[in-house]
Amino acid sequence: QIQRALRSLCIPLERLHVMKGHMMQDMCKGLSRQTYAQAKVRMLPTYICSTPNGTEKGNFLVVELCQNQVRTLLVTLYGDGNMSPQMMYKIFDMPEGITQGEGEALFDFIAQCVSHFLAETTSPDTSSSEERLPLGFVFPFTCKQTQLDKAELLSWSKGFSCSGVVGKDVVQMLQSAINKQELSHVDVVALMNDTVGTLMTCSTEGRPCEIAVVADKGSNCCFMAEAYLVETAEETSGRMCVNTEWGCFGDDGTLNDIFTPYDESVDEESCNPGEKRFEKLVGTLYLGEIVRHALIALTAEKALFTGTDIAVLKEKGVFTIQHVLDIINNEDGTTDVKRVLEVLGLQPSERDCGRVQQICRAVVGRAATLHAVGLAAILSYMCQTRDLETLMVNVGVEGELYTGYSRFEEILQSVSRLLSPECMATLLPSRDGSGRGAAMVTAVALRLAAQRRVVNEVLGPLRLTRADLEKVQALMRQEMERGLGKHTNATASVRMLPTYVTHTPDGTEQGDFLALDLGGTNFRVLVVRVTEEGISMASEIYVIPVAIMQGTGERLFDHIIDCIVDFQTKQNLMTQTLPLGFTFSFPCQQMGLDKALLLTWTKGFTASGCVGQDVVQLLREAARRKQHSGLQVVALLNDTVGTMMSCGYDDPKCEIGLIVGTGTNACYMEEMKNVGTVEGDEGRMCINMEWGAFGDNGCLDHIFTHFDRVVDETTINPGKQRFEKLISGMYLGEIVRQILLVMTEKQLLFQGKPSRKLQTRNIFQTKFLSTIELNGLALRQIRAILNELDLDASFEDSVLLREVCQAVSLRAAQLCAAGLAAVVEKMRENRGLDQLSVSVGVDGTLYKLHPCFSQNLQKTLKDLAPKCDVSFHLSEDGSGKGAALVAAVASRAA
């Protein structure tokens, strides 16, 4: 019988693996917005998003509600890594019956304790001074928290049942009671349970602790989860401490097969049968009771205490955890066991003593093993959700079972290693989790609030209001009108250049066309075949050496002709004369579809003898020099127009082109009668806005921040392309870098130490923004980017970095939307429509690759131009296919 009893208390390893899997499933259920109501493991958000970093300092008050006492503490932190906090405390016994009385009376009593304690520990002049005294409230009951200082009590336990508290905000109740005591300088800033306090205490030992296990009368665990997975809270960046409330694990029946008859008896006699099943297997409140029922059952089977009176064992609560611990911690013989049992009033034989010791060890060993299963579930969950191969983490441990049972730590460590071999957990003993830890929670909350104020001051100028955006939209509209006006065009910052493209594709275009694309260091030649079935292309990329980019115009255009000849030869096209469309992505003044004067070089080109000349003519002259007679240039366009045209082939409503990449620009179909710079009033013409220069006349100075000015001053064209410098990929990374430098100087990042690399211009690439803002990106990947820049980033640094990137890219998308809103609204008014339906062809790496840019742009546009229904198409090869289509439409019209 003894062996059978011991076997029933021993759980096989396979069963532990299954249990770990069940717990992980239940954890996921508890975190999901859809299923949390059904989950037994509640996974409550605590709104604690940071652990101590050692800089916290000041006085902090803590009030802890215990089983039958109120404990008050005053903790002073010195900002010295929290190595030696000064602590004063006092314990007050609760009056008889208060735990079952009115809730208001309980909170009034707690507030009186605070008042008495402060009267004794602080001098009269400090209590009445202006200095606020923040208070952390340890409230060890299940609450639904919606902020750090807002929590509704869900249910009482541990023998409490005060009226008028369930469903109420307990922080508010305590604050009201404190205010009644005329302690107006005391602010309740944080509420937590004891488990969270344990985590925070261990985090002060100079290395972060991310899991806490409390093995006490009750049992619980909390850990730092990725915030975006905590769907029941609003927070999405960084991490948040989640209070698992794992005591209820198994209430759905998943633990029924490991419940012994002794456990069933304990459950039936408890005040909440069928609830908190896991806790009843592991909590010290119940272990003595499990042993008592096992002893009663074994005596009935005549395996123990034969012929002696065991009436004493019939009394509930007589066999306590202390008795159990005294019996098992004694390694040498059974003398102490005999003494413990005799004190209880039993007359054990030598054999009885040995057997009772075996049962006690089995019950407590099982409790330690089950704690290890829960810990293993959390370790594997953290490892998986952080996308790690191995997890190394510190675990704070506290509670009667941990301190009282000598083998607890060894079992917790070895079983969790067996179940989660990919995780290395280092156990740290917690010192006064509910006291010192609560002070830490409070201190961290204040540090973060102060930091938040400074962060908001730094990022505030980048955050645009709706009114700001409406003003930008109105200014863009004003500049557009000036750019179109015959007499105002010369001084407008938005040039509104006519392109002489008067139609978008209608689907009847057919034939073979050549296209050239020159817009940077690479140059492409394409042949494009347009048939009824669709479009097919062949192309080749040629490099333009820097010496040619910066040499003479003749050399540059001779090189281009050489590349065309090479391509035509490879494609067997030397005998044909095909219409050619030339995408030339530099500012030009078009005089006709195939005549355009170069206004200025950009993008590192400085070839001499080209500015002010007709680019098409330069190309034709080079062809003559090279004796290449089969070249028929029918159109010159820029990439923005090509983008509109290439999307226009698939969607006839596409009448806007937008580029948001290294640079930014837009074009759209304007009514000829509004184009004052070209003769004729019939039909429409595509206008190349060259909107990157919007604001060069100072009209956007009010939204330029200190960071924008610094970036502008260090560019090769200070004061020029101002709008582009707020939006395009070439500058966003540098804006972020400038903000990081200021934040580091203000001690908000990297412990105030910038690396030499971070002080290097343009080291922070815009592609980093795209990576950092990916939703759900593990923060270790952000840290990897920062490590490349020689920055030792903490977890909080990564969260703040993401916020900076979001502020910069959101502003860029909003400004782009404000510009676009001016365009679509003008088109709508031009056409006298109540509602305009139009499509935009878009190209550019920022729009295509950044995870949030396109949706931020579209959302803002909808808001600023509600009467326009705008859809977006990603352009495929606007500068190649688009150039061929301009040539095709021109040939069709001819």
Side-chain angles (χ1 to χ4, degrees), residues 663-684:
T664 180
N665 193 14
C667 69
Y668 72 103
M669 296 303 286
E670 177 59 87
E671 309 303 309
M672 273 298 289
K673 62 176 190 288
N674 296 334
V675 186
T677 48
V678 177
E679 296 303 315
D681 282 350
E682 291 308 304
R684 293 178 181 150

Side-chain angles (χ1 to χ4, degrees), residues 581-820:
F582 185 8
T583 300
F584 186 74
S585 304
F586 299 91
C588 288
Q589 184 178 356
Q590 298 233 195
M591 315 304 282
L593 189 57
D594 63 348
K595 186 173 168 65
L597 310 182
L598 175 63
L599 293 174
T600 139
W601 281 120
T602 56
K603 304 175 195 175
F605 279 72
T606 56
S608 60
C610 299
V611 173
Q613 299 299 310
D614 174 5
V615 179
V616 177
Q617 200 48 41
L618 293 173
L619 187 64
R620 287 175 179 151
E621 283 166 10
R624 266 201 297 281
R625 279 196 300 278
K626 293 278 180 181
Q627 293 166 357
H628 182 44
S629 56
L631 201 66
Q632 183 196 346
V633 186
V634 298
L636 181 132
L637 60 148
N638 78 357
D639 51 353
T640 319
V641 178
T643 297
M644 177 185 82
M645 294 297 269
S646 78
C647 292
Y649 183 75
D650 301 311
D651 176 5
K653 283 199 315 192
C654 183
E655 298 189 79
I656 301 173
L658 173 67
I659 301 248
V660 199
T662 314
T664 180
N665 193 14
C667 69
Y668 72 103
M669 296 303 286
E670 177 59 87
E671 309 303 309
M672 273 298 289
K673 62 176 190 288
N674 296 334
V675 186
T677 48
V678 177
E679 296 303 315
D681 282 350
E682 291 308 304
R684 293 178 181 150
M685 183 181 284
C686 179
I687 297 293
N688 164 23
M689 295 176 67
E690 289 294 340
W691 80 2
F694 174 43
D696 287 6
N697 57 1
C699 67
L700 291 181
D701 285 3
H702 64 289
I703 59 166
F704 254 65
T705 66
H706 158 74
F707 312 111
D708 301 311
R709 283 190 283 276
V710 173
V711 170
D712 178 46
E713 281 157 17
T714 54
T715 57
I716 53 171
N717 55 349
K720 300 271 192 295
Q721 298 294 101
R722 301 285 298 263
F723 192 54
E724 181 164 88
K725 285 173 188 170
L726 299 173
I727 291 176
S728 76
M730 192 163 178
Y731 306 99
L732 299 189
E734 184 59 9
I735 296 172
V736 167
R737 187 182 74 86
Q738 293 296 339
I739 297 171
L740 299 186
L741 287 172
V742 167
M743 285 192 163
T744 310
E745 194 184 313
K746 290 184 182 289
Q747 304 284 320
L748 295 169
L749 279 172
F750 317 129
Q751 298 163 320
K753 302 184 197 83
S755 67
R756 178 159 301 147
K757 270 193 183 169
L758 187 62
Q759 290 163 339
T760 314
R761 256 184 59 203
N762 295 321
I763 191 111
F764 199 93
Q765 299 161 35
T766 296
K767 69 172 186 194
F768 290 167
L769 272 79
S770 296
T771 310
I772 287 165
E773 288 187 58
L774 272 172
N775 197 17
L777 176 79
L779 285 146
R780 71 185 178 90
Q781 286 155 290
I782 297 181
R783 283 163 89 163
I785 289 175
L786 292 170
N787 287 343
E788 268 183 50
L789 304 177
D790 299 341
L791 291 162
D792 181 20
S794 71
F795 175 75
E796 276 83 24
D797 290 341
S798 306
V799 177
L800 187 49
L801 174 65
R802 182 182 277 170
E803 187 180 349
V804 171
C805 292
Q806 283 167 339
V808 171
S809 74
L810 172 63
R811 180 184 70 157
Q814 288 175 328
L815 288 171
C816 190
L820 211 46

Side-chain angles (χ1 to χ4, degrees), residues 163-207:
S163 61
V165 186
V166 173
K168 294 270 177 60
D169 178 0
V170 287
V171 174
Q172 197 44 59
M173 290 185 81
L174 179 59
Q175 189 68 63
S176 303
I178 284 173
N179 294 347
K180 277 194 239 170
Q181 294 293 321
E182 297 187 353
L183 299 170
S184 58
H185 64 302
V186 175
D187 300 318
V188 187
V189 299
L191 174 132
M192 72 227 73
N193 70 6
D194 47 355
T195 321
V196 174
T198 298
L199 178 105
M200 293 306 244
T201 306
C202 291
S203 289
T204 60
E205 311 298 324
R207 46 192 178 160

Side-chain angles (χ1 to χ4, degrees), residues 66-375:
C66 310
Q67 196 78 40
N68 41 24
Q69 294 170 324
V70 170
R71 189 165 78 120
T72 52
L73 292 91
L74 188 63
V75 181
T76 307
L77 300 173
Y78 297 102
D80 57 356
N82 304 321
M83 286 308 171
S84 51
Q86 185 187 329
M87 292 167 56
M88 291 187 277
Y89 68 94
K90 182 166 182 162
I91 291 172
F92 298 86
D93 289 324
M94 281 200 263
E96 199 69 37
I98 196 164
T99 57
Q100 278 83 36
E102 284 184 17
E104 197 175 337
L106 173 68
F107 285 97
D108 284 344
F109 174 71
I110 298 171
Q112 284 158 16
C113 298
V114 172
S115 183
H116 289 311
F117 175 63
L118 287 178
E120 288 176 26
T121 52
T122 54
S123 54
D125 54 313
T126 53
S127 61
S128 61
S129 77
E130 289 304 297
E131 198 187 333
R132 317 294 304 161
L133 190 51
L135 181 148
F137 184 25
V138 182
F139 188 72
F141 302 95
T142 309
C143 289
K144 180 185 175 204
Q145 243 175 305
T146 49
Q147 282 166 218
L148 193 53
D149 59 353
K150 200 171 174 51
E152 281 177 22
L153 176 64
L154 292 176
S155 62
W156 285 114
S157 56
K158 307 181 180 122
F160 278 72
S161 59
C162 297
S163 61
V165 186
V166 173
K168 294 270 177 60
D169 178 0
V170 287
V171 174
Q172 197 44 59
M173 290 185 81
L174 179 59
Q175 189 68 63
S176 303
I178 284 173
N179 294 347
K180 277 194 239 170
Q181 294 293 321
E182 297 187 353
L183 299 170
S184 58
H185 64 302
V186 175
D187 300 318
V188 187
V189 299
L191 174 132
M192 72 227 73
N193 70 6
D194 47 355
T195 321
V196 174
T198 298
L199 178 105
M200 293 306 244
T201 306
C202 291
S203 289
T204 60
E205 311 298 324
R207 46 192 178 160
C209 169
E210 299 195 82
I211 305 177
V213 175
V214 170
D216 207 63
K217 290 185 175 54
S219 170
N220 198 6
C221 177
C222 67
F223 70 100
M224 297 302 283
E226 303 301 302
Y228 74 96
L229 295 170
V230 188
E231 293 181 6
T232 49
E234 293 304 304
E235 191 61 50
T236 54
S237 67
R239 294 191 180 136
M240 183 183 285
C241 179
V242 170
N243 166 21
T244 63
E245 291 290 340
W246 72 15
C248 297
F249 174 54
D251 287 6
D252 55 359
T254 45
L255 296 179
N256 287 1
D257 61 318
I258 64 161
F259 252 61
T260 64
Y262 328 127
D263 300 312
E264 296 294 357
S265 303
V266 172
D267 184 39
E268 282 158 21
E269 286 182 7
S270 71
C271 60
N272 53 351
E275 290 174 19
K276 297 232 170 188
R277 302 276 279 185
F278 185 70
E279 187 162 285
K280 285 172 188 166
L281 296 173
V282 301
T284 56
L285 197 60
Y286 305 99
L287 299 184
E289 281 297 286
I290 298 170
V291 170
R292 183 175 74 83
H293 279 288
L295 299 185
I296 292 170
L298 289 165
T299 306
E301 290 173 16
K302 303 206 169 7
L304 277 178
F305 303 122
T306 41
T308 66
D309 178 17
I310 61 147
V312 62
L313 286 177
K314 297 282 176 17
E315 190 186 324
K316 185 180 171 184
V318 68
F319 210 96
T320 66
I321 184 65
Q322 203 45 58
H323 294 129
V324 177
L325 293 173
D326 288 347
I327 287 169
I328 59 175
N329 283 334
N330 183 356
E331 294 301 326
D332 30 314
T334 52
T335 331
D336 280 5
V337 182
K338 193 174 171 68
R339 187 179 48 74
V340 172
L341 294 173
E342 282 174 348
V343 168
L344 277 167
L346 296 162
Q347 292 103 45
S349 65
E350 191 68 28
R351 191 184 69 163
D352 290 338
C353 291
R355 289 182 167 182
V356 168
Q357 194 173 39
Q358 279 181 297
I359 293 291
C360 289
R361 280 188 182 144
V363 167
V364 177
R366 180 183 69 162
T369 302
L370 291 174
H371 274 100
V373 174
L375 176 59

Side-chain angles (χ1 to χ4, degrees), residues 13 16-17 20 376 411-423:
L13 185 61
L16 297 179
H17 272 293
K20 172 193 155 185
I411 294 172
L412 193 64
Q413 195 105 46
S414 59
V415 176
S416 62
R417 255 338 275 274
L418 269 177
L419 295 174
S420 299
E422 76 282 15
C423 304

Side-chain angles (χ1 to χ4, degrees), residues 37-59:
Q38 294 102 59
K40 295 301 171 199
V41 180
R42 295 295 300 273
M43 305 298 280
L44 302 170
T46 64
Y47 294 84
I48 290 166
C49 298
S50 180
T51 52
N53 69 359
T55 62
E56 294 80 8
K57 57 179 177 208
N59 292 320

